[in-house]
Protein backbone atom coordinates (compact mmCIF):
# COMPACT_ATOMS: atom_id res chain seq x y z
CA UNK A 1 0.00 0.00 0.00
CA UNK A 2 1.22 3.47 -0.88
CA UNK A 3 1.45 5.72 2.04
CA UNK A 4 -0.34 9.02 1.67
CA UNK A 5 2.73 10.91 2.76
CA UNK A 6 4.71 9.64 -0.19
CA UNK A 7 1.80 9.69 -2.82
CA UNK A 8 1.97 12.57 -5.33
CA UNK A 9 -0.89 15.08 -4.96
CA UNK A 10 -2.38 14.44 -8.45
CA UNK A 11 -2.55 10.67 -7.81
CA UNK A 12 -4.15 11.24 -4.42
CA UNK A 13 -6.90 13.40 -5.95
CA UNK A 14 -7.61 10.79 -8.67
CA UNK A 15 -7.83 7.96 -6.17
CA UNK A 16 -10.19 9.91 -3.96
CA UNK A 17 -12.47 10.70 -6.96
CA UNK A 18 -12.58 7.04 -7.95
CA UNK A 19 -13.59 6.00 -4.43
CA UNK A 20 -16.36 8.62 -4.45
CA UNK A 21 -17.77 7.52 -7.78
CA UNK A 22 -17.71 3.88 -6.76
CA UNK A 23 -19.65 4.66 -3.61
CA UNK A 24 -22.35 6.68 -5.49
CA UNK A 25 -22.81 4.36 -8.43
CA UNK A 26 -21.17 6.72 -10.91
CA UNK A 27 -22.49 7.65 -14.33
CA UNK A 28 -21.03 4.70 -16.18
CA UNK A 29 -23.93 2.48 -17.51
CA UNK A 30 -21.85 -0.58 -16.86
CA UNK A 31 -21.24 0.17 -13.19
CA UNK A 32 -23.59 -1.26 -10.59
CA UNK A 33 -25.12 0.95 -7.95
CA UNK A 34 -25.74 0.07 -4.32
CA UNK A 35 -28.64 -2.25 -5.22
CA UNK A 36 -26.55 -4.23 -7.64
CA UNK A 37 -29.08 -3.70 -10.49
CA UNK A 38 -27.80 -2.69 -13.93
CA UNK A 39 -29.07 0.52 -15.49
CA UNK A 40 -31.04 -0.19 -18.79
CA UNK A 41 -30.59 2.02 -21.82
CA UNK A 42 -33.51 4.45 -22.36
CA UNK A 43 -36.52 3.09 -24.41
CA UNK A 44 -37.35 5.10 -27.48
CA UNK A 45 -41.17 5.24 -27.88
CA UNK A 46 -42.54 4.28 -31.34
CA UNK A 47 -43.65 7.09 -33.57
CA UNK A 48 -47.31 8.08 -33.17
CA UNK A 49 -49.24 6.14 -35.86
CA UNK A 50 -52.82 5.33 -36.92
CA UNK A 51 -53.74 1.85 -38.06
CA UNK A 52 -56.60 0.61 -40.24
CA UNK A 53 -59.04 -2.08 -39.10
CA UNK A 54 -60.38 -4.54 -41.65
CA UNK A 55 -60.81 -8.11 -42.78
CA UNK A 56 -63.04 -10.26 -44.98
CA UNK A 57 -66.75 -11.02 -45.27
CA UNK A 58 -67.87 -14.38 -46.65
CA UNK A 59 -71.31 -15.78 -47.45
CA UNK A 60 -73.09 -12.44 -47.86
CA UNK A 61 -75.36 -12.60 -50.91
CA UNK A 62 -74.67 -9.93 -53.48
CA UNK A 63 -76.99 -6.91 -53.12
CA UNK A 64 -77.84 -7.77 -49.51
CA UNK A 65 -76.90 -5.11 -46.95
CA UNK A 66 -74.69 -5.75 -43.93
CA UNK A 67 -73.51 -3.03 -41.56
CA UNK A 68 -70.49 -3.43 -39.30
CA UNK A 69 -69.45 -1.24 -36.38
CA UNK A 70 -65.99 -0.56 -34.97
CA UNK A 71 -66.05 0.40 -31.29
CA UNK A 72 -69.78 0.91 -31.63
CA UNK A 73 -69.39 4.12 -33.62
CA UNK A 74 -67.57 3.81 -36.95
CA UNK A 75 -70.16 2.34 -39.36
CA UNK A 76 -69.34 0.43 -42.53
CA UNK A 77 -72.04 -0.68 -44.99
CA UNK A 78 -71.36 -3.68 -47.24
CA UNK A 79 -73.47 -5.01 -50.11
CA UNK A 80 -71.25 -7.87 -51.29
CA UNK A 81 -68.76 -10.36 -49.86
CA UNK A 82 -65.03 -9.65 -49.92
CA UNK A 83 -62.41 -7.52 -48.18
CA UNK A 84 -63.39 -4.53 -46.08
CA UNK A 85 -61.63 -1.71 -44.23
CA UNK A 86 -63.16 0.83 -41.87
CA UNK A 87 -62.74 4.42 -43.00
CA UNK A 88 -61.56 5.69 -39.60
CA UNK A 89 -58.19 4.36 -38.36
CA UNK A 90 -57.31 3.89 -34.69
CA UNK A 91 -54.21 5.10 -32.85
CA UNK A 92 -51.30 2.95 -31.75
CA UNK A 93 -52.09 0.79 -28.72
CA UNK A 94 -55.82 1.62 -28.96
CA UNK A 95 -58.52 -1.03 -28.66
CA UNK A 96 -60.80 -1.94 -31.55
CA UNK A 97 -63.99 -4.04 -31.47
CA UNK A 98 -65.84 -5.05 -34.65
CA UNK A 99 -69.51 -6.00 -34.25
CA UNK A 100 -72.52 -6.56 -36.51
CA UNK A 101 -74.85 -3.58 -36.69
CA UNK A 102 -77.59 -4.84 -39.02
CA UNK A 103 -77.78 -7.93 -41.18
CA UNK A 104 -80.14 -9.26 -43.86
CA UNK A 105 -83.41 -10.75 -42.64
CA UNK A 106 -82.50 -14.33 -43.44
CA UNK A 107 -78.75 -14.09 -42.80
CA UNK A 108 -76.81 -14.83 -39.62
CA UNK A 109 -73.42 -13.05 -39.66
CA UNK A 110 -70.79 -13.95 -37.04
CA UNK A 111 -67.59 -11.98 -36.32
CA UNK A 112 -64.30 -13.73 -35.49
CA UNK A 113 -61.00 -12.08 -34.46
CA UNK A 114 -63.04 -8.95 -34.00
CA UNK A 115 -61.32 -7.31 -31.05
CA UNK A 116 -57.82 -6.46 -29.87
CA UNK A 117 -55.26 -3.67 -29.52
CA UNK A 118 -53.91 -2.07 -32.67
CA UNK A 119 -50.11 -2.18 -32.95
CA UNK A 120 -50.19 -2.47 -36.75
CA UNK A 121 -52.77 -2.49 -39.54
CA UNK A 122 -55.41 -5.16 -38.81
CA UNK A 123 -56.59 -7.40 -41.68
CA UNK A 124 -57.56 -10.55 -39.75
CA UNK A 125 -61.19 -9.81 -38.83
CA UNK A 126 -63.56 -12.34 -40.43
CA UNK A 127 -67.33 -12.09 -40.77
CA UNK A 128 -69.02 -15.31 -41.88
CA UNK A 129 -72.65 -15.05 -43.06
CA UNK A 130 -74.95 -18.01 -43.57
CA UNK A 131 -78.62 -18.55 -44.34
CA UNK A 132 -80.78 -18.83 -41.26
CA UNK A 133 -82.70 -22.04 -40.75
CA UNK A 134 -86.42 -22.05 -41.51
CA UNK A 135 -88.55 -23.30 -38.64
CA UNK A 136 -92.13 -24.14 -39.65
CA UNK A 137 -95.06 -24.03 -37.20
CA UNK A 138 -98.84 -23.89 -37.53
CA UNK A 139 -100.32 -20.48 -36.74
CA UNK A 140 -103.97 -21.51 -37.05
CA UNK A 141 -106.19 -24.22 -38.45
CA UNK A 142 -107.30 -27.66 -37.33
CA UNK A 143 -106.24 -29.30 -40.56
CA UNK A 144 -109.82 -30.32 -41.38
CA UNK A 145 -112.35 -28.44 -43.52
CA UNK A 146 -114.51 -26.16 -41.42
CA UNK A 147 -115.72 -22.67 -40.61
CA UNK A 148 -114.96 -22.17 -36.95
CA UNK A 149 -113.43 -19.13 -35.30
CA UNK A 150 -111.16 -19.75 -32.34
CA UNK A 151 -107.52 -19.86 -31.34
CA UNK A 152 -104.89 -21.87 -33.18
CA UNK A 153 -106.01 -25.42 -33.94
CA UNK A 154 -109.49 -24.67 -32.60
CA UNK A 155 -110.19 -22.57 -35.71
CA UNK A 156 -110.86 -24.03 -39.14
CA UNK A 157 -110.68 -22.98 -42.79
CA UNK A 158 -111.86 -24.32 -46.15
CA UNK A 159 -109.15 -24.28 -48.83
CA UNK A 160 -107.47 -20.99 -47.80
CA UNK A 161 -105.58 -19.49 -50.72
CA UNK A 162 -104.80 -15.83 -50.00
CA UNK A 163 -102.67 -14.50 -47.15
CA UNK A 164 -101.33 -11.05 -46.23
CA UNK A 165 -99.78 -9.51 -43.13
CA UNK A 166 -100.37 -5.98 -41.87
CA UNK A 167 -98.03 -3.54 -40.15
CA UNK A 168 -99.47 -4.54 -36.76
CA UNK A 169 -98.68 -8.21 -37.36
CA UNK A 170 -102.27 -9.29 -37.98
CA UNK A 171 -102.63 -11.87 -40.74
CA UNK A 172 -105.51 -11.78 -43.26
CA UNK A 173 -106.72 -14.84 -45.14
CA UNK A 174 -108.72 -15.30 -48.32
CA UNK A 175 -110.76 -18.29 -47.16
CA UNK A 176 -111.65 -19.44 -50.66
CA UNK A 177 -114.07 -22.28 -49.88
CA UNK A 178 -115.82 -20.39 -47.07
CA UNK A 179 -116.28 -17.17 -49.08
CA UNK A 180 -114.92 -15.17 -46.16
CA UNK A 181 -112.00 -12.95 -45.26
CA UNK A 182 -110.54 -14.06 -41.94
CA UNK A 183 -108.22 -12.26 -39.54
CA UNK A 184 -105.60 -13.87 -37.29
CA UNK A 185 -103.81 -12.03 -34.49
CA UNK A 186 -100.17 -12.73 -33.70
CA UNK A 187 -101.45 -15.00 -30.87
CA UNK A 188 -103.39 -17.13 -33.34
CA UNK A 189 -106.89 -15.82 -32.53
CA UNK A 190 -109.06 -16.22 -35.65
CA UNK A 191 -112.13 -14.07 -36.40
CA UNK A 192 -114.15 -13.28 -39.50
CA UNK A 193 -113.49 -9.79 -40.86
CA UNK A 194 -116.13 -9.92 -43.61
CA UNK A 195 -118.29 -12.42 -45.45
CA UNK A 196 -121.47 -14.43 -44.93
CA UNK A 197 -121.39 -16.29 -41.59
CA UNK A 198 -122.76 -19.39 -43.31
CA UNK A 199 -120.08 -19.31 -46.00
CA UNK A 200 -122.62 -18.62 -48.72
CA UNK A 201 -121.37 -17.02 -51.92
CA UNK A 202 -122.62 -13.62 -53.09
CA UNK A 203 -121.54 -10.18 -54.23
CA UNK A 204 -123.09 -7.83 -51.69
CA UNK A 205 -121.32 -4.81 -50.28
CA UNK A 206 -121.91 -4.08 -46.61
CA UNK A 207 -120.31 -4.39 -43.21
CA UNK A 208 -118.89 -7.61 -41.83
CA UNK A 209 -121.37 -10.48 -42.13
CA UNK A 210 -123.69 -8.38 -44.34
CA UNK A 211 -121.14 -8.48 -47.16
CA UNK A 212 -120.52 -11.47 -49.39
CA UNK A 213 -117.85 -12.82 -51.74
CA UNK A 214 -117.62 -15.56 -54.34
CA UNK A 215 -114.42 -17.60 -53.99
CA UNK A 216 -112.13 -14.84 -52.71
CA UNK A 217 -108.55 -15.52 -53.62
CA UNK A 218 -105.61 -13.15 -53.02
CA UNK A 219 -105.57 -10.53 -50.27
CA UNK A 220 -103.34 -7.52 -49.59
CA UNK A 221 -103.27 -4.92 -46.82
CA UNK A 222 -102.13 -1.30 -46.95
CA UNK A 223 -100.45 0.87 -44.31
CA UNK A 224 -103.83 2.07 -43.03
CA UNK A 225 -105.15 -1.44 -42.51
CA UNK A 226 -107.45 -1.54 -45.54
CA UNK A 227 -107.68 -5.01 -47.06
CA UNK A 228 -107.97 -5.64 -50.81
CA UNK A 229 -109.44 -8.85 -52.19
CA UNK A 230 -109.27 -10.58 -55.56
CA UNK A 231 -112.92 -11.73 -55.63
CA UNK A 232 -112.38 -14.34 -58.30
CA UNK A 233 -115.82 -15.55 -59.36
CA UNK A 234 -117.32 -12.07 -58.99
CA UNK A 235 -114.63 -10.66 -61.31
CA UNK A 236 -114.18 -7.77 -58.91
CA UNK A 237 -111.58 -6.21 -56.65
CA UNK A 238 -113.08 -5.49 -53.26
CA UNK A 239 -111.89 -3.20 -50.47
CA UNK A 240 -112.48 -3.75 -46.74
CA UNK A 241 -111.84 -1.03 -44.15
CA UNK A 242 -110.41 -1.98 -40.75
CA UNK A 243 -114.01 -1.80 -39.44
CA UNK A 244 -115.15 -4.41 -41.95
CA UNK A 245 -116.95 -2.11 -44.41
CA UNK A 246 -116.83 -3.77 -47.84
CA UNK A 247 -117.04 -1.86 -51.13
CA UNK A 248 -116.18 -2.64 -54.75
CA UNK A 249 -113.01 -0.85 -55.84
CA UNK A 250 -113.16 -1.94 -59.47
CA UNK A 251 -114.87 -4.44 -61.72
CA UNK A 252 -118.28 -4.66 -63.38
CA UNK A 253 -118.96 -8.16 -62.11
CA UNK A 254 -119.15 -9.48 -65.67
CA UNK A 255 -116.13 -11.25 -67.20
CA UNK A 256 -114.14 -9.01 -69.51
CA UNK A 257 -110.91 -7.12 -70.10
CA UNK A 258 -111.86 -3.47 -70.22
CA UNK A 259 -109.85 -0.65 -68.72
CA UNK A 260 -111.77 2.17 -67.09
CA UNK A 261 -112.81 3.54 -63.72
CA UNK A 262 -114.51 1.49 -61.02
CA UNK A 263 -117.35 -0.64 -62.35
CA UNK A 264 -116.63 0.48 -65.92
CA UNK A 265 -113.56 -1.78 -65.86
CA UNK A 266 -113.71 -5.56 -66.11
CA UNK A 267 -111.60 -8.59 -65.16
CA UNK A 268 -111.62 -12.32 -65.83
CA UNK A 269 -110.97 -14.45 -62.73
CA UNK A 270 -108.73 -11.99 -60.85
CA UNK A 271 -106.66 -13.78 -58.23
CA UNK A 272 -103.61 -12.35 -56.47
CA UNK A 273 -103.51 -8.69 -55.42
CA UNK A 274 -100.79 -6.40 -54.02
CA UNK A 275 -100.75 -2.78 -52.86
CA UNK A 276 -97.87 -0.31 -52.96
CA UNK A 277 -96.94 2.47 -50.55
CA UNK A 278 -99.14 5.06 -52.25
CA UNK A 279 -102.23 2.88 -52.56
CA UNK A 280 -102.00 1.53 -56.11
CA UNK A 281 -103.37 -1.99 -56.32
CA UNK A 282 -101.90 -4.59 -58.69
CA UNK A 283 -103.96 -7.53 -59.87
CA UNK A 284 -103.05 -10.88 -61.37
CA UNK A 285 -105.90 -11.01 -63.91
CA UNK A 286 -105.39 -14.71 -64.37
CA UNK A 287 -107.56 -15.71 -67.30
CA UNK A 288 -106.90 -12.48 -69.18
CA UNK A 289 -103.16 -13.24 -68.84
CA UNK A 290 -102.58 -9.65 -67.80
CA UNK A 291 -101.30 -7.67 -64.84
CA UNK A 292 -103.62 -4.77 -64.11
CA UNK A 293 -103.07 -1.63 -62.05
CA UNK A 294 -105.74 0.24 -60.10
CA UNK A 295 -105.14 3.74 -58.71
CA UNK A 296 -106.62 4.69 -55.32
CA UNK A 297 -109.43 6.39 -57.29
CA UNK A 298 -110.30 3.12 -59.04
CA UNK A 299 -108.78 3.87 -62.45
CA UNK A 300 -107.82 0.55 -64.06
CA UNK A 301 -105.07 0.17 -66.67
CA UNK A 302 -103.06 -2.75 -68.03
CA UNK A 303 -99.47 -2.73 -66.74
CA UNK A 304 -98.29 -5.70 -68.82
CA UNK A 305 -99.57 -8.62 -70.83
CA UNK A 306 -100.87 -9.12 -74.34
CA UNK A 307 -104.07 -10.84 -73.24
CA UNK A 308 -103.00 -14.03 -75.00
CA UNK A 309 -101.23 -16.91 -73.27
CA UNK A 310 -97.49 -16.82 -73.92
CA UNK A 311 -94.08 -16.50 -72.31
CA UNK A 312 -92.50 -13.48 -73.96
CA UNK A 313 -90.47 -10.87 -72.15
CA UNK A 314 -90.96 -7.30 -73.34
CA UNK A 315 -92.63 -4.03 -72.44
CA UNK A 316 -96.33 -3.66 -71.66
CA UNK A 317 -98.56 -5.51 -74.08
CA UNK A 318 -95.53 -6.90 -75.94
CA UNK A 319 -94.97 -9.24 -72.99
CA UNK A 320 -97.09 -12.30 -72.32
CA UNK A 321 -98.05 -14.58 -69.42
CA UNK A 322 -99.83 -17.89 -68.99
CA UNK A 323 -102.27 -17.87 -66.07
CA UNK A 324 -100.53 -15.41 -63.72
CA UNK A 325 -101.86 -15.95 -60.19
CA UNK A 326 -99.70 -14.15 -57.63
CA UNK A 327 -98.38 -10.58 -57.47
CA UNK A 328 -96.17 -8.67 -55.05
CA UNK A 329 -94.68 -5.18 -55.19
CA UNK A 330 -91.41 -3.91 -53.67
CA UNK A 331 -90.49 -0.51 -52.29
CA UNK A 332 -89.21 0.63 -55.72
CA UNK A 333 -92.45 -0.23 -57.46
CA UNK A 334 -91.23 -3.39 -59.16
CA UNK A 335 -93.95 -6.02 -59.46
CA UNK A 336 -93.25 -9.76 -59.13
CA UNK A 337 -95.56 -12.31 -60.73
CA UNK A 338 -96.00 -16.06 -60.39
CA UNK A 339 -96.56 -17.07 -63.99
CA UNK A 340 -98.16 -20.36 -63.07
CA UNK A 341 -98.45 -22.33 -66.28
CA UNK A 342 -95.09 -21.05 -67.50
CA UNK A 343 -93.52 -22.18 -64.20
CA UNK A 344 -91.63 -18.90 -64.01
CA UNK A 345 -91.29 -15.90 -61.71
CA UNK A 346 -91.49 -12.70 -63.72
CA UNK A 347 -90.49 -9.15 -62.80
CA UNK A 348 -92.11 -5.97 -64.09
CA UNK A 349 -90.54 -2.53 -63.66
CA UNK A 350 -92.75 0.52 -63.00
CA UNK A 351 -92.40 1.29 -66.72
CA UNK A 352 -93.88 -2.10 -67.62
CA UNK A 353 -90.68 -3.84 -68.71
CA UNK A 354 -91.11 -7.59 -68.14
CA UNK A 355 -88.20 -9.98 -67.58
CA UNK A 356 -87.90 -13.50 -66.20
CA UNK A 357 -86.34 -13.53 -62.74
CA UNK A 358 -86.19 -17.30 -62.34
CA UNK A 359 -87.57 -20.50 -63.80
CA UNK A 360 -86.73 -22.71 -66.76
CA UNK A 361 -90.25 -22.70 -68.16
CA UNK A 362 -90.56 -26.44 -67.55
CA UNK A 363 -92.01 -28.01 -64.42
CA UNK A 364 -89.31 -29.12 -61.98
CA UNK A 365 -87.89 -28.63 -58.51
CA UNK A 366 -84.28 -27.63 -59.12
CA UNK A 367 -82.50 -24.97 -57.14
CA UNK A 368 -80.11 -22.79 -59.13
CA UNK A 369 -79.75 -19.36 -60.66
CA UNK A 370 -82.28 -17.81 -63.03
CA UNK A 371 -83.38 -20.20 -65.75
CA UNK A 372 -81.31 -23.01 -64.22
CA UNK A 373 -83.92 -23.21 -61.43
CA UNK A 374 -87.36 -24.73 -61.87
CA UNK A 375 -90.82 -24.56 -60.27
CA UNK A 376 -94.04 -26.55 -60.50
CA UNK A 377 -97.27 -24.51 -60.48
CA UNK A 378 -95.99 -21.53 -58.47
CA UNK A 379 -98.97 -19.66 -56.96
CA UNK A 380 -98.02 -17.18 -54.25
CA UNK A 381 -95.29 -14.55 -54.23
CA UNK A 382 -94.03 -12.06 -51.65
CA UNK A 383 -91.01 -9.75 -51.43
CA UNK A 384 -89.12 -8.51 -48.37
CA UNK A 385 -87.38 -5.19 -47.71
CA UNK A 386 -84.08 -6.53 -49.12
CA UNK A 387 -85.64 -7.63 -52.40
CA UNK A 388 -85.70 -11.35 -51.66
CA UNK A 389 -88.70 -13.05 -53.24
CA UNK A 390 -90.64 -15.91 -51.61
CA UNK A 391 -92.73 -18.33 -53.65
CA UNK A 392 -95.47 -20.78 -52.77
CA UNK A 393 -94.41 -23.58 -55.11
CA UNK A 394 -97.73 -25.39 -54.99
CA UNK A 395 -97.22 -28.70 -56.77
CA UNK A 396 -93.70 -29.08 -55.36
CA UNK A 397 -95.12 -28.59 -51.83
CA UNK A 398 -92.23 -26.25 -51.08
CA UNK A 399 -91.54 -22.65 -50.19
CA UNK A 400 -88.77 -21.26 -52.37
CA UNK A 401 -86.62 -18.17 -51.91
CA UNK A 402 -85.10 -16.09 -54.70
CA UNK A 403 -82.30 -13.61 -54.07
CA UNK A 404 -82.30 -10.37 -56.10
CA UNK A 405 -79.59 -11.91 -58.30
CA UNK A 406 -81.93 -14.78 -59.21
CA UNK A 407 -80.38 -17.45 -56.95
CA UNK A 408 -83.15 -19.89 -55.99
CA UNK A 409 -83.03 -22.07 -52.87
CA UNK A 410 -85.62 -24.19 -51.08
CA UNK A 411 -86.50 -22.50 -47.81
CA UNK A 412 -88.78 -25.19 -46.39
CA UNK A 413 -90.64 -28.29 -47.45
CA UNK A 414 -89.72 -31.91 -48.10
CA UNK A 415 -91.49 -32.04 -51.46
CA UNK A 416 -93.98 -34.61 -50.15
CA UNK A 417 -97.63 -33.66 -49.62
CA UNK A 418 -97.97 -33.80 -45.84
CA UNK A 419 -98.32 -31.58 -42.78
CA UNK A 420 -95.25 -31.84 -40.58
CA UNK A 421 -93.81 -28.95 -38.61
CA UNK A 422 -90.04 -28.81 -38.35
CA UNK A 423 -86.93 -27.19 -39.75
CA UNK A 424 -86.19 -26.72 -43.43
CA UNK A 425 -86.79 -29.83 -45.50
CA UNK A 426 -87.91 -31.75 -42.40
CA UNK A 427 -91.14 -29.76 -42.58
CA UNK A 428 -93.84 -30.52 -45.12
CA UNK A 429 -96.77 -28.80 -46.82
CA UNK A 430 -99.79 -29.83 -48.86
CA UNK A 431 -100.49 -27.48 -51.76
CA UNK A 432 -99.06 -24.24 -50.37
CA UNK A 433 -100.66 -21.31 -52.17
CA UNK A 434 -100.17 -17.62 -51.37
CA UNK A 435 -97.32 -16.39 -49.15
CA UNK A 436 -96.64 -13.18 -47.21
CA UNK A 437 -93.62 -11.82 -45.33
CA UNK A 438 -93.52 -9.42 -42.37
CA UNK A 439 -90.87 -6.88 -41.37
CA UNK A 440 -89.12 -9.41 -39.13
CA UNK A 441 -88.68 -11.86 -41.98
CA UNK A 442 -91.39 -14.30 -40.90
CA UNK A 443 -93.13 -15.94 -43.85
CA UNK A 444 -96.82 -16.91 -43.74
CA UNK A 445 -98.30 -19.61 -45.96
CA UNK A 446 -101.94 -20.23 -46.88
CA UNK A 447 -101.93 -23.99 -47.16
CA UNK A 448 -104.83 -24.99 -49.37
CA UNK A 449 -104.47 -28.76 -48.98
CA UNK A 450 -104.07 -28.82 -45.20
CA UNK A 451 -106.59 -26.02 -44.45
CA UNK A 452 -104.02 -24.30 -42.28
CA UNK A 453 -102.02 -21.10 -42.04
CA UNK A 454 -98.38 -21.92 -41.44
CA UNK A 455 -95.63 -19.65 -40.19
CA UNK A 456 -91.95 -19.89 -41.13
CA UNK A 457 -89.52 -18.21 -38.73
CA UNK A 458 -85.84 -17.53 -39.43
CA UNK A 459 -83.62 -19.01 -36.72
CA UNK A 460 -79.87 -18.48 -36.63
CA UNK A 461 -77.80 -21.68 -37.06
CA UNK A 462 -76.48 -23.07 -33.80
Amino acid sequence: MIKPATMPLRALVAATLCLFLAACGGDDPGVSGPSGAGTSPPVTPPPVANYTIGGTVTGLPASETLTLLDNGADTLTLVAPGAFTFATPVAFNTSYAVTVGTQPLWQSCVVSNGSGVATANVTSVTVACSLKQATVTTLAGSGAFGLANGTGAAASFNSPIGVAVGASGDVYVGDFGNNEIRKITSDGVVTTLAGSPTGASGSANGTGAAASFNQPNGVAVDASGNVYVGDTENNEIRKITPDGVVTTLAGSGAPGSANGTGTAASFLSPRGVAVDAIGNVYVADAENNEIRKITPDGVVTTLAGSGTAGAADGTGTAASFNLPQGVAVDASGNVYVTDTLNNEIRKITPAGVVTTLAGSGTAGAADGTGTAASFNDPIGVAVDASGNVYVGDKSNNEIRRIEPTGVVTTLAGSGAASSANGTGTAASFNLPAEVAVDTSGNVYVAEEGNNQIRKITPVAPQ
Side-chain angles (χ1 to χ4, degrees):
M1 181 176 178
I2 301 174
K3 294 181 180 180
T6 59
M7 180 181 294
L9 180 59
R10 181 178 296 176
L12 178 60
V13 171
T16 302
L17 181 59
C18 286
L19 290 172
F20 175 79
L21 291 175
C24 297
D27 59 358
D28 185 345
V31 178
S32 298
S35 64
T39 302
S40 300
V43 176
T44 302
V48 175
N50 293 324
Y51 297 114
T52 57
I53 307 300
T56 305
V57 172
T58 60
L60 179 68
S63 79
E64 292 275 23
T65 300
L66 169 69
T67 61
L68 300 177
L69 302 174
D70 183 25
N71 290 327
D74 190 11
T75 302
L76 177 63
T77 300
L78 302 171
V79 293
F84 69 88
T85 302
F86 283 94
T88 305
V90 300
F92 170 76
N93 240 15
T94 299
S95 297
Y96 63 91
V98 178
T99 56
V100 173
T102 61
Q103 56 193 338
L105 289 173
W106 275 89
Q107 292 287 313
S108 175
C109 298
V110 179
V111 178
S112 299
N113 302 321
S115 61
V117 176
T119 57
N121 289 334
V122 175
T123 60
S124 59
V125 180
T126 60
V127 183
C129 297
S130 59
L131 187 66
K132 291 181 179 179
Q133 297 173 326
T135 299
V136 181
T137 56
T138 301
L139 178 64
S142 65
F145 292 106
L147 181 49
N149 288 324
T151 301
S156 56
F157 302 89
N158 187 352
S159 299
I161 291 180
V163 66
V165 58
S168 64
D170 292 327
V171 174
Y172 299 87
V173 179
D175 196 359
F176 182 85
N178 281 327
N179 297 300
E180 291 185 339
I181 307 304
R182 316 287 289 278
K183 179 181 177 180
I184 312 173
T185 68
S186 57
D187 295 328
V189 179
V190 180
T191 55
T192 299
L193 177 65
S196 168
T198 65
S201 62
S203 60
N205 288 325
T207 301
S212 57
F213 303 87
N214 193 352
Q215 296 187 350
N217 196 302
V219 292
V221 58
D222 67 18
S224 299
N226 298 299
V227 177
Y228 301 86
V229 182
D231 195 1
T232 301
E233 291 303 309
N234 279 328
N235 297 297
E236 294 175 333
I237 307 304
R238 315 288 289 279
K239 179 180 178 180
I240 312 173
T241 69
D243 295 328
V245 179
V246 180
T247 56
T248 299
L249 177 65
S252 65
S257 181
N259 289 323
T261 300
T263 57
S266 57
F267 303 88
L268 182 55
S269 297
R271 302 192 184 179
V273 292
V275 59
D276 67 18
I278 58 175
N280 296 304
V281 176
Y282 300 86
V283 181
D285 195 3
E287 294 189 25
N288 277 327
N289 297 298
E290 294 175 333
I291 306 303
R292 315 289 288 279
K293 179 180 179 179
I294 313 173
T295 69
D297 294 328
V299 178
V300 180
T301 55
T302 300
L303 177 64
S306 66
T308 302
D313 288 336
T315 299
T317 57
S320 57
F321 304 89
N322 195 351
L323 199 71
Q325 295 200 66
V327 286
V329 59
D330 67 18
S332 300
N334 298 299
V335 176
Y336 301 86
V337 180
T338 48
D339 194 4
T340 302
L341 294 187
N342 280 327
N343 295 297
E344 293 176 334
I345 310 304
R346 315 289 288 280
K347 180 179 178 179
I348 312 174
T349 69
V353 179
V354 180
T355 55
T356 299
L357 177 65
S360 65
T362 302
D367 288 337
T369 301
T371 57
S374 55
F375 302 87
N376 192 355
D377 291 337
I379 299 292
V381 64
V383 58
D384 67 23
S386 299
N388 297 296
V389 174
Y390 303 85
V391 178
D393 196 3
K394 185 174 179 177
S395 292
N396 277 328
N397 297 300
E398 294 175 335
I399 307 303
R400 315 289 289 280
R401 180 179 186 268
I402 312 173
E403 296 173 12
T405 54
V407 177
V408 180
T409 54
T410 299
L411 189 64
S414 65
S418 185
S419 181
N421 289 324
T423 300
T425 56
S428 57
F429 301 90
N430 188 359
L431 303 179
E434 290 281 356
V435 293
V437 59
D438 67 19
T439 55
S440 298
N442 301 301
V443 177
Y444 300 85
V445 182
E447 193 177 10
E448 184 179 355
N450 281 327
N451 300 294
Q452 294 175 327
I453 306 303
R454 312 287 289 278
K455 181 178 180 179
I456 307 175
T457 304
V459 178
Q462 300 298 314

